[in-house]
Amino acid sequence: MLTDTPVYIIEEERLRRNLKLISDVARRTDSEWILAFKAFALWKTFSVFREYIRSTTASSLSEARLALEEFGAKAHTYSPAYKDEEFGDIVRCSSHLTFNSLSQYERFHDRAGECSLGLRVNPEYSEVGTLLYNPCAPGTRFGVTADKLPDELPHDIRGFHCHCHCESGADVFMRTLEHIERKFSRWFPQLEWINFGGGHLVTRKDYDIDLLVQLMHGFHQRYPHLRVIFEPGSAFAWQTGPLVSQVVDVVEDKGIRTAVLDVSFTCHMPDCLEMPYMPEVRGAVACESGEPSAPRGFLYRLGGNSCLSGDFMGFWRFDHELQVGEQVIFEDMMHYTTVKTNTFNGITHPSIAMLHTDGSLELLRRFTYEDYRDRMD
């Protein structure tokens, strides 16, 4: 068993549980579900993924290469803007290619080879509350609105891509789908496929899968010729493993005790600060303020080991006094973490390990000084 911290631990049993559920949802909804690398790209787990899904989705040349070279299948690729010098390689690595704008389509479609081409469309409706994550916010750079589409689509456009969810439920998709159909259904007879993007959190316990099945059955009845694609990332990696850290110091100022950890929110858990959201800490209860809600318990703010003043969150109440060297475990830290980490301040990057179904723990990667140094090489 690994004891060195910090370390992300992906749990194979939980990963397989999610994959089995998503595979069943794909069957029941007669749709294809593919992995979005922007949320999870731990390629040493792809052998497990390939048992359940056939494709992935990429948003850059590096992700498209990862799809082809490590997953073993060409990617469904979308980028806000393709570059001339990268486009040929992106085409080589892609089965589907979605353009963000009509100008990008005009510039590149003649060079797209055998790729099935699509346009990203903007339904001008999203229930994503955090503006940072809302792709349909006013002034967005994502997608083409209905008023800008010609009555007759370009002859080689085969699909629409519409992404406007974030950890959303089926009820949100139901309301969004009404807007999508109202805005864009008149073009559906000209298409072969529609991609409803990511953010469909089907593996969350309270997700209404039966409602999604009902919605998709109705959609297929209305548009039987359209192949439906979903491309979530979080749903695959949801609740599949923690980030294990340890206390390196405890400091106090103005009555606030902060446990300083060997991880960083800004480096290793950036969505906690960006979203923001309070992660679950094993063996602790999150509190809304620094005032204890009960006379018993040990209240701490948790701080990262970087020089950023705001690299902290709080507060959590533990049932004992934290000691230097003690582990603090952040639950559900596999999605939108490992893909977004950075080496600010040269802080030790967490290792990556996999807990297999037989109980063995395999170290997949340990990061070194050379990883930090060579980013600036």
Side-chain angles (χ1 to χ4, degrees):
M1 185 73 175
L2 289 176
T3 56
D4 292 345
T5 62
V7 57
Y8 296 102
I9 301 177
I10 176 76
E11 300 180 24
E12 182 181 355
E13 183 175 347
R14 292 186 173 189
L15 178 62
R16 287 186 179 275
R17 175 200 62 200
N18 285 354
L19 286 163
K20 288 175 183 177
L21 187 151
I22 290 172
S23 178
D24 184 61
V25 169
R27 178 188 59 81
R28 293 178 63 191
T29 57
D30 190 20
S31 57
E32 183 176 11
W33 289 65
I34 62 180
L35 170 66
F37 289 153
K38 69 177 182 179
F40 185 82
L42 185 52
W43 58 269
K44 289 184 179 180
T45 65
F46 286 175
S47 60
V48 178
F49 275 83
R50 284 194 295 266
E51 296 180 32
Y52 302 90
I53 66 172
R54 299 193 306 270
S55 301
T56 59
T57 180
S59 296
S60 64
L61 173 55
S62 291
E63 287 187 345
R65 286 189 58 182
L66 193 71
L68 181 62
E69 297 174 16
E70 303 300 339
F71 191 85
K74 291 185 175 183
H76 293 235
T77 303
Y78 157 80
S79 174
Y82 298 108
K83 297 176 65 177
D84 277 313
E85 60 268 31
E86 294 181 348
F87 192 73
D89 284 330
I90 286 176
V91 168
R92 176 179 60 84
C93 298
S94 303
S95 61
H96 294 64
L97 199 64
T98 295
F99 295 101
N100 185 61
S101 66
L102 290 169
S103 57
Q104 281 268 297
Y105 164 81
E106 290 294 342
R107 183 176 178 183
F108 289 111
H109 78 104
D110 285 339
R111 297 165 51 189
E114 300 300 315
C115 292
S116 181
L117 303 186
L119 283 175
R120 178 162 177 170
V121 293
N122 174 11
E124 302 177 86
Y125 177 86
S126 174
E127 296 185 23
V128 178
T130 303
L131 198 61
L132 182 67
Y133 295 94
N134 186 349
C136 299
T140 182
R141 68 190 191 281
F142 295 136
V144 183
T145 52
D147 61 300
K148 294 183 174 65
L149 287 175
D151 291 336
E152 189 72 24
L153 294 174
H155 72 281
D156 50 355
I157 290 296
R158 299 286 181 263
F160 279 170
H161 179 137
C162 185
H163 174 66
C164 46
H165 297 85
C166 179
E167 298 186 358
S168 302
D171 58 324
V172 177
F173 180 54
M174 176 180 65
R175 293 187 289 272
T176 307
L177 186 59
E178 294 175 359
H179 287 263
I180 294 172
E181 290 191 55
R182 185 164 66 249
K183 293 275 189 179
F184 298 105
S185 61
R186 68 188 182 98
W187 287 283
F188 286 180
Q190 302 177 46
L191 303 177
E192 297 175 1
W193 53 265
I194 186 165
N195 185 328
F196 288 122
H200 308 271
L201 197 48
V202 293
T203 49
R204 190 174 60 198
K205 288 182 179 179
D206 63 348
Y207 190 95
D208 191 344
I209 293 175
D210 289 338
L211 175 57
L212 178 65
V213 172
Q214 177 186 335
L215 291 171
M216 283 296 94
H217 282 178
F219 188 85
H220 287 308
Q221 288 176 353
R222 293 190 295 277
Y223 316 103
H225 69 290
L226 283 181
R227 182 165 61 93
V228 175
I229 304 163
F230 292 88
E231 51 174 44
S234 293
F236 284 98
W238 186 258
Q239 297 287 348
T240 56
L243 171 59
V244 182
S245 68
Q246 71 171 268
V247 179
V248 291
D249 197 9
V250 178
V251 298
E252 184 171 342
D253 183 65
K254 308 298 184 185
I256 296 174
R257 284 186 299 177
T258 301
V260 183
L261 310 176
D262 62 352
V263 293
S264 161
F265 289 100
T266 190
C267 296
H268 310 137
M269 298 172 278
D271 275 2
C272 292
L273 300 181
E274 292 176 0
M275 189 66 168
Y277 72 92
M278 287 280 284
E280 182 179 344
V281 175
R282 190 174 301 179
V285 178
C287 303
E288 293 184 358
S289 70
E291 293 298 325
S293 58
R296 300 180 61 181
F298 297 85
L299 199 69
Y300 293 89
R301 187 169 66 180
L302 298 181
N305 198 15
S306 81
C307 292
L308 177 68
S309 299
D311 189 3
F312 65 85
M313 292 195 75
F315 292 82
W316 283 268
R317 189 172 67 253
F318 292 79
D319 62 3
H320 63 282
E321 187 172 348
L322 294 182
Q323 303 294 324
V324 171
E326 179 177 349
Q327 288 188 349
V328 172
I329 300 175
F330 294 91
E331 305 286 11
D332 193 24
M333 281 293 157
M334 296 310 302
H335 58 92
Y336 283 107
T337 47
T338 52
V339 292
K340 296 179 74 171
T341 59
N342 61 74
T343 56
F344 170 63
N345 257 181
I347 297 169
T348 300
H349 190 290
S351 299
I352 303 174
M354 186 168 187
L355 179 63
H356 292 287
T357 53
D358 63 3
S360 63
L361 190 65
E362 178 187 3
L363 179 65
L364 301 179
R365 175 69 187 272
R366 176 175 281 120
F367 295 86
T368 65
Y369 159 71
E370 286 74 21
D371 293 304
Y372 167 69
R373 181 199 65 190
D374 292 348
R375 287 186 71 250
M376 303 298 168
D377 190 359

